């Protein structure tokens, strides 16, 4: 199946 | 002191409609150059990045940089109290606890004033890297909204595949499948044109739930821009009239 990713794994926290 | 005025509240009403289902609260960063919002939904799956340029306002003054935490639900309630032709003025003192919204109806000696308490927010701010996307598609925003609504009936996800030939939206579920293909149109720059700039073909899946939140921005402009690269978040961008833009980022679904 498909797993929903989150943005925190693509963008860095400032 | 901060003061921003728009002679027509319609645009701000549309902006609130475009974010109110996705965000419960957000920090509005006000500087001399305008108002900026960057906020994620609670699940951190999507992000709204919004910019309203100071020169797009009919009057704009911001003596000191302000970070105002606002309840989107309350702000939306307040803006519902304005009619589309009302002039809206937002005003706050330096180091404010509240923000004031004033509505003036043209030709009438009526002024409505609403004051909203600001909230202290501890928001995570994300650094979004400059990305060159493999495919950038511009298409009518109403067409996009319709496809998202139609395909959502058939599955939880929409797969977007973009090649030189065109862009294909697909959904699949227990009841069957749905596919909508759009080819590039001959003319570009028209409100009903479809343009595709492609470096490399892409195929990605996204949650219908979030795409349905994004299409709430449809009344803001006639064209939507979709930026896609394999295995990175989608950017779905709408212009806010002549005054700014709203960009939605959406993390993709990835095969387990």
């Amino acid at each position: 199946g498909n797993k929903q990713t989150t943005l925190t794994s693509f963008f860095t926290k400032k | 002191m901060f003061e921003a005025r728009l002679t027509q509240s319609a645009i701000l009403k549309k902006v609130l409609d475009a974010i109110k289902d996705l965000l419960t609260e957000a920090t509005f960063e006000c500087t001399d150059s305008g108002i900026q919002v960057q906020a994620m939904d609670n699940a951190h799956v999507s992000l709204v990045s919004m910019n309203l340029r100071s020169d797009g306002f009919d009057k704009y003054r911001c003596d000191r940089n302000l970070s105002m935490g606002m309840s989107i639900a309350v702000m939306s309630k307040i803006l519902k109290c304005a009619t589309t032709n009302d002039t809206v003025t937002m005003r706050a003192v330096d180091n404010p606890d509240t923000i004031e919204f004033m509505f003036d109806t043209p030709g009438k000696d009526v002024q409505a004033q609403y004051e909203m308490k600001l909230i202290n927010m501890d928001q995570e701010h994300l650094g979004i890297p400059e990305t060159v996307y493999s495919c950038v598609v511009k298409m009518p925003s109403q067409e996009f909204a319709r496809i998202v609504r139609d395909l959502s009936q058939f599955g939880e996800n929409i797969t977007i595949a973009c090649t030189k030939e065109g862009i294909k939206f697909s959904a699949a579920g227990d009841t069957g499948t749905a596919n909508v293909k759009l080819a590039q149109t001959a003319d570009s720059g028209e409100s009903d044109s479809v343009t595709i700039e492609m470096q490399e073909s892409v195929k990605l899946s996204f949650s219908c739930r979030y795409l349905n939140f994004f299409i709430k921005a449809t009344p803001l402009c006639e064209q939507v821009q979709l930026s896609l690269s394999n295995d990175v978040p989608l950017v779905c961008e709408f212009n806010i009239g002549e005054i700014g833009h709203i960009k939605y980022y959406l993390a993709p679904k990835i095969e387990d």
Side-chain angles (χ1 to χ4, degrees):
Chain A
N2 275 328
K3 199 181 81 178
Q4 178 65 62
T5 57
T6 60
L7 289 176
T8 37
S9 55
F10 297 98
F11 301 149
T12 49
K13 284 177 197 169
K14 267 190 192 168
Chain B
M1 147 132 205
F2 166 76
E3 193 174 307
R5 180 184 299 159
L6 283 169
T7 49
Q8 298 233 315
S9 71
I11 208 146
L12 211 53
K13 287 163 82 79
K14 287 179 193 168
V15 165
L16 264 294
D17 284 342
I19 60 173
K20 73 173 174 19
D21 295 331
L22 204 52
L23 304 174
T24 50
E25 49 198 31
T27 303
F28 285 64
E29 308 277 354
C30 304
T31 65
D32 206 31
S33 56
I35 302 172
Q36 281 188 316
V37 174
Q38 195 211 80
M40 280 189 284
D41 71 282
N42 290 333
H44 291 190
V45 170
S46 70
L47 180 142
V48 173
S49 173
M50 187 175 81
N51 179 33
L52 300 167
R53 288 188 312 274
S54 55
D55 59 20
F57 287 87
D58 299 292
K59 184 183 175 186
Y60 190 91
R61 175 181 165 186
C62 185
D63 300 337
R64 244 197 226 186
N65 292 356
L66 293 180
S67 244
M68 293 188 279
M70 301 199 207
S71 157
I72 301 300
V74 176
M75 197 176 171
S76 178
K77 265 187 211 169
I78 291 174
L79 277 151
K80 282 218 159 60
C81 302
T83 62
T84 50
N85 290 324
D86 280 0
T87 294
V88 55
T89 309
M90 295 178 281
R91 190 185 284 165
V93 296
D94 293 341
N95 302 315
D97 297 317
T98 59
I99 180 164
E100 198 177 52
F101 293 86
M102 278 167 302
F103 305 134
D104 290 278
T105 309
K108 277 194 187 172
D109 200 8
V110 180
Q111 189 183 61
Q113 188 255 353
Y114 299 86
E115 202 174 75
M116 180 174 78
K117 285 182 187 157
L118 297 177
I119 37 186
N120 279 322
M121 289 188 49
D122 193 18
Q123 248 189 358
E124 274 184 295
H125 221 72
L126 294 182
I128 302 164
E130 280 289 318
T131 308
V132 179
Y133 288 92
S134 303
C135 292
V136 177
V137 179
K138 287 185 187 141
M139 62 182 285
S141 56
Q142 285 191 10
E143 190 88 55
F144 178 63
R146 187 180 161 192
I147 292 169
V148 168
R149 273 195 300 266
D150 287 354
L151 267 53
S152 298
Q153 303 178 95
F154 301 96
E156 278 178 29
N157 306 315
I158 292 178
T159 300
I160 305 176
C162 191
T163 63
K164 264 188 292 201
E165 281 71 49
I167 183 165
K168 187 171 92 168
F169 300 87
S170 323
D174 300 336
T175 55
T177 60
N179 290 285
V180 180
K181 254 192 259 181
L182 288 155
Q184 185 157 207
T185 53
D187 52 347
S188 63
E190 304 290 324
S191 62
D192 60 351
S193 62
V194 177
T195 53
I196 299 169
E197 284 170 41
M198 195 202 80
Q199 318 293 331
E200 202 183 331
S201 62
V202 298
K203 192 177 178 187
L204 287 136
S205 290
F206 300 99
S207 157
C208 290
R209 178 180 146 79
Y210 289 91
L211 294 171
N212 275 290
F213 289 140
F214 301 172
I215 60 171
K216 300 280 159 74
T218 305
L220 282 169
C221 64
E222 288 180 318
Q223 288 253 309
V224 59
Q225 179 173 302
L226 307 173
S227 302
L228 299 135
S229 285
N230 282 324
D231 302 321
V232 304
L234 158 78
V235 192
C236 184
E237 181 175 354
F238 297 83
N239 283 331
I240 303 171
E242 300 288 304
I243 108 163
H245 64 251
I246 180 161
K247 286 185 191 177
Y248 299 96
Y249 291 82
L250 179 58
K253 294 251 186 151
I254 283 176
E255 285 285 327
D256 252 340

